[in-house]
Amino acid sequence: MRRAVRNGIGGILAVGLVLAFVVGRRRAQAAAPAESCTLTFSGNAQLRDVPVARTETQQSKGLSGLDAVGAGMLFSWDTPAPRVFWMHNTRVPLSIAFLSSDGQVFAIEDMQPNTDTYHLSGGPALDALELSQGEFELHGIGVGSRLIRRECKAIAT
């Protein structure tokens, strides 16, 4: 009888581990952006293949846990509102640009890694763009620049 009970518990544990793996994998996939965009700003500044975080899960994950942020990340919402960002579990120094509903960059702020300091948009933002520190200057994007074109495509999985 004891042996049957142990085998039964072992089977339940195995099923539980498989389910935990599947659920964890689905959460990781849900946190991964499903599209990327080429963003063209006034002054002909262009950023290619920028991943887009549209869902709450994608936005919560953002660029945290990465050692390199590549093309950065565009956070996009359906309606403009005041936004708040922080750098908990984010290892790379980033800058964030907040964009109004007409695409104008109205604020850029540097953010330090692994901090819980709140970075407030200071106004209603429809989009926020995170890049490695120095990348906005490198591309000639500053306060007053305007996002004039966004060409997006699905990311192959």
Side-chain angles (χ1 to χ4, degrees), residues 39-41 99 102-104 127 145-150:
L39 307 173
T40 304
F41 288 84
L99 289 78
D102 66 356
Q104 184 171 352
D127 297 292
S145 294
R146 187 175 307 275
L147 178 62
I148 56 175
R149 187 171 44 252
R150 174 190 322 227

Side-chain angles (χ1 to χ4, degrees), residues 100-118:
S100 63
S101 57
D102 66 356
Q104 184 171 352
V105 175
F106 65 86
I108 297 177
E109 190 168 337
D110 288 339
M111 303 185 295
Q112 297 309 311
N114 293 312
T115 58
D116 291 327
T117 303
Y118 291 138

Side-chain angles (χ1 to χ4, degrees), residues 23-134:
V23 168
R25 187 177 174 132
R26 284 191 181 150
R27 283 187 183 151
Q29 288 172 338
E35 67 179 309
S36 67
C37 298
T38 295
L39 307 173
T40 304
F41 288 84
S42 54
N44 218 20
Q46 194 171 73
L47 304 172
R48 296 185 182 278
D49 299 320
V50 179
V52 181
R54 290 195 186 275
T55 68
E56 188 175 328
T57 301
Q58 292 166 347
Q59 292 167 352
S60 294
K61 172 72 174 149
L63 295 170
S64 65
L66 301 176
D67 291 320
V69 299
M73 184 166 282
L74 178 67
F75 297 78
S76 198
W77 297 272
D78 293 331
T79 57
R83 307 296 176 190
V84 180
F85 282 74
W86 58 91
M87 297 283 287
H88 186 78
N89 290 330
T90 304
R91 302 176 189 146
V92 179
L94 300 174
S95 296
I96 187 164
F98 294 101
L99 289 78
S100 63
S101 57
D102 66 356
Q104 184 171 352
V105 175
F106 65 86
I108 297 177
E109 190 168 337
D110 288 339
M111 303 185 295
Q112 297 309 311
N114 293 312
T115 58
D116 291 327
T117 303
Y118 291 138
H119 300 274
L120 309 172
S121 63
L126 186 64
D127 297 292
L129 177 60
E130 287 183 341
L131 298 176
S132 293
Q133 280 187 18

